[in-house]
């Protein structure tokens, strides 16, 4: 299986940290933020459950651009063979 060569950028990691500390952020946004932060190093990749969540967020019009940015980052670090 190929290793993940992508990592969460500093800008996305900063946004993820702010999302996690925001009491008004949705559970979906917080899940994506936590995943993005856990992928700050290149040794981790997105699991199937988070891939599905991120995909749904990107297809929906109900999420903010910040949440969609987190979803895109998480999805870009998914397992290529899935």
């Amino acid at each position: 299986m190929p290793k993940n060569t992508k990592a969460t950028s500093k800008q996305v990691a900063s946004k993820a940290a702010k999302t996690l500390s925001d009491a008004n952020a949705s559970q979906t946004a917080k899940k994506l933020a936590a995943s993005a932060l856990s992928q700050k190093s290149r040794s981790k990749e997105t699991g199937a459950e988070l891939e599905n969540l991120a995909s749904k967020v990107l297809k929906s019009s109900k999420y903010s651009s910040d949440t969609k940015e987190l979803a895109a980052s998480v999805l870009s670090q998914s397992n290529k063979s899935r």
Side-chain angles (χ1 to χ4, degrees):
M1 173 176 7
K3 286 217 173 225
N4 182 18
T5 59
K6 296 184 178 182
T8 302
S9 70
K10 288 180 183 181
Q11 294 86 354
V12 173
S14 175
K15 190 170 288 190
K18 288 177 185 173
T19 299
L20 287 173
S21 65
D22 182 356
N24 296 319
S26 69
Q27 285 301 107
T28 298
K30 288 187 177 198
K31 282 183 184 180
L32 294 168
S35 181
L37 278 178
S38 76
Q39 295 174 33
K40 185 72 176 111
S41 72
R42 293 186 172 160
S43 63
K44 300 198 177 198
E45 61 185 33
T46 304
E49 183 181 330
L50 259 303
E51 282 180 24
N52 288 332
L53 178 62
S55 178
K56 288 176 185 175
V57 166
L58 289 172
K59 291 176 185 175
S60 175
S61 61
K62 80 175 199 175
Y63 294 99
S64 71
S65 60
D66 287 345
T67 301
K68 287 188 174 201
E69 185 177 354
L70 292 170
S73 177
V74 166
L75 202 53
S76 75
Q77 298 174 65
S78 64
N79 183 322
K80 302 277 188 253
S81 63
R82 261 197 293 267

